[in-house]
């Protein structure tokens, strides 16, 4: 493996050199890039003092506070904040949650990764205090059920690992011999008829975007295909959405 590092070093660690090196050694570009990322994150994490780094973060936050009330509030949470920052920095310095360390075949891993997003959300919902469970029927248009305030909410869960977009439209069916234009193979729009809540789970760090379908239903046919995460920032880790949707009217 050192030869791959040496060749990247000869190319001044430029990312556009990865494809050339991969081709030379009969490797996939994605595979070699993943190796570099894993190696370099490991190297850097081993020399960084996370305790000291968390202290620096705390100091910078403290410097930015000018309001006296905020300063007092900060003193109250300072110790707890430092602990959670150190934990969060550990995840950051390892490039998020471990992914496919056993080199499972890509097709199988794609399906497994989809399941992992579902399990991450269900676990986090339970941790947040909600009665939540997975739906085992694969043909169902929703993946989980939340039972709260004597009401049931259907939840569709999608995993995201890269990029800044989500979609309220299923993927078109692909593959050799499949007519992509046939109505049965064209991805269908996800609406409130399918589920009550759409959750996008960042598989790298576990962040959940909890989006009510009442919001998504208002999107036009073009907009629903590609929605920026910045457009749904109000739903990022917004677990109160579940309470609001099950509150008595």
């Amino acid at each position: 493996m050192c030869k791959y590092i040496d060749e990247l070093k000869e190319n001044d660690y430029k990312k556009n050199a990865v494809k050339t090196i991969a081709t030379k050694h009969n490797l996939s570009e994605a595979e070699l890039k993943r190796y570099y990322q894993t190696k370099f994150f490991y190297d850097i994490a081993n020399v960084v003092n996370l305790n000291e780094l968390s202290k620096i973060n705390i100091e910078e936050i403290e410097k930015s506070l000018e309001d006296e009330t905020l300063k007092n509030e900060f003193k109250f949470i300072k110790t707890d904040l430092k602990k959670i920052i150190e934990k969060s920095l550990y995840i950051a310095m390892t490039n998020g949650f471990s992914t496919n360390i056993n080199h499972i075949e890509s097709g199988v891993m794609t399906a497994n990764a989809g399941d992992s997003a579902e399990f991450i959300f269900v676990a986090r919902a339970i941790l947040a205090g909600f009665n939540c469970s997975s739906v085992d029927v694969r043909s169902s248009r929703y993946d989980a059920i939340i039972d709260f305030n004597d009401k049931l909410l259907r939840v569709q869960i999608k995993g995201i690992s890269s990029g800044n977009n989500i979609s309220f439209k299923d993927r078109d069916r692909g593959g050799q011999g499949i007519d992509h234009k046939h109505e049965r193979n064209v991805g269908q729009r996800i609406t409130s008829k399918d589920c009550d809540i759409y959750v996008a789970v960042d598989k790298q760090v576990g962040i959940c975007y909890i989006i009510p379908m009442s919001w998504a239903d208002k999107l036009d046919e073009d907009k629903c295909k590609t929605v920026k995460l910045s457009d749904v920032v109000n739903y990022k880790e917004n677990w109160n959405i579940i309470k609001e949707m099950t509150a008595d009217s």
Side-chain angles (χ1 to χ4, degrees):
M1 288 296 188
C2 290
K3 62 183 177 183
Y4 304 141
I5 302 294
D6 291 339
E7 289 183 34
L8 186 64
K9 183 177 180 180
E10 291 171 3
N11 285 276
D12 297 322
Y13 292 90
K14 292 179 180 177
K15 289 185 177 180
N16 58 13
V18 175
K19 184 176 182 179
T20 302
I21 299 171
T23 301
K24 177 181 176 181
H25 296 283
N26 198 28
L27 299 170
S28 74
E29 182 180 1
E31 180 183 9
L32 185 57
K33 184 177 180 181
R34 196 159 47 241
Y35 163 71
Y36 286 139
Q37 288 176 327
T38 302
K39 176 71 166 58
F40 298 160
F41 266 97
Y42 178 82
D43 289 348
I44 301 300
N46 275 341
V47 298
V48 171
N49 186 319
L50 293 182
N51 184 270
E52 288 300 318
L53 193 55
S54 63
K55 286 182 181 178
I56 293 172
N57 278 266
I58 286 293
E59 290 170 0
E60 288 301 313
I61 294 172
E62 198 163 15
K63 288 178 185 177
S64 68
L65 301 176
E66 297 180 359
D67 182 84
E68 198 61 35
T69 298
L70 289 178
K71 287 182 179 180
N72 288 325
E73 291 176 353
F74 178 77
K75 288 179 182 178
F76 188 86
I77 66 168
K78 185 175 181 178
T79 300
D80 295 322
L81 181 58
K82 182 180 178 299
K83 290 178 181 178
I84 196 68
I85 285 177
E86 187 168 343
K87 292 179 182 180
S88 300
L89 286 171
Y90 177 82
I91 295 297
M93 293 307 301
T94 54
N95 198 22
F97 300 150
S98 299
T99 303
N100 198 16
I101 60 175
N102 293 322
H103 308 293
I104 297 172
E105 188 270 323
S106 60
V108 175
M109 188 59 213
T110 298
N112 288 353
D115 289 340
S116 75
E118 177 184 328
F119 298 147
I120 288 171
F121 170 74
V122 171
R124 293 218 48 212
I126 293 171
L127 187 62
F130 297 102
N131 186 355
C132 181
S133 59
S134 295
V135 173
D136 292 331
V137 181
R138 286 275 181 173
S139 60
S140 173
R141 292 289 283 166
Y142 50 92
D143 306 297
I145 286 287
I146 293 176
D147 180 353
F148 187 69
N149 277 350
D150 297 322
K151 294 182 180 179
L152 296 179
L153 294 176
R154 303 162 300 161
V155 185
Q156 185 169 142
I157 305 162
K158 300 292 186 183
I160 53 176
S161 53
S162 61
N164 297 305
N165 300 320
I166 58 175
S167 178
F168 292 93
K169 188 174 180 293
D170 295 328
R171 294 178 181 176
D172 296 340
R173 288 186 62 199
Q176 188 174 2
I178 292 179
D179 181 2
H180 305 280
K181 296 182 180 179
H182 195 285
E183 184 178 351
R184 290 179 302 180
N185 298 323
V186 175
Q188 300 298 307
R189 177 167 180 172
I190 302 165
T191 71
S192 54
K193 292 181 180 179
D194 304 307
C195 57
D196 304 299
I197 296 175
Y198 176 106
V199 177
V201 178
D202 187 326
K203 293 176 294 185
Q204 190 175 28
V205 293
I207 290 173
C208 295
Y209 295 79
I210 304 161
I211 308 165
M213 287 308 299
S214 57
W215 179 86
D217 282 348
K218 297 175 184 177
L219 302 172
D220 62 36
E221 289 300 317
D222 287 329
K223 179 64 175 175
C224 78
K225 297 176 184 177
T226 306
V227 177
K228 294 179 179 178
L229 289 179
S230 57
D231 293 336
V232 292
V233 68
N234 289 339
Y235 301 117
K236 183 176 182 179
E237 287 296 308
N238 190 348
W239 294 89
N240 283 325
I241 289 295
I242 298 170
K243 292 183 178 181
E244 293 170 7
M245 293 183 67
T246 55
D248 292 329
S249 55

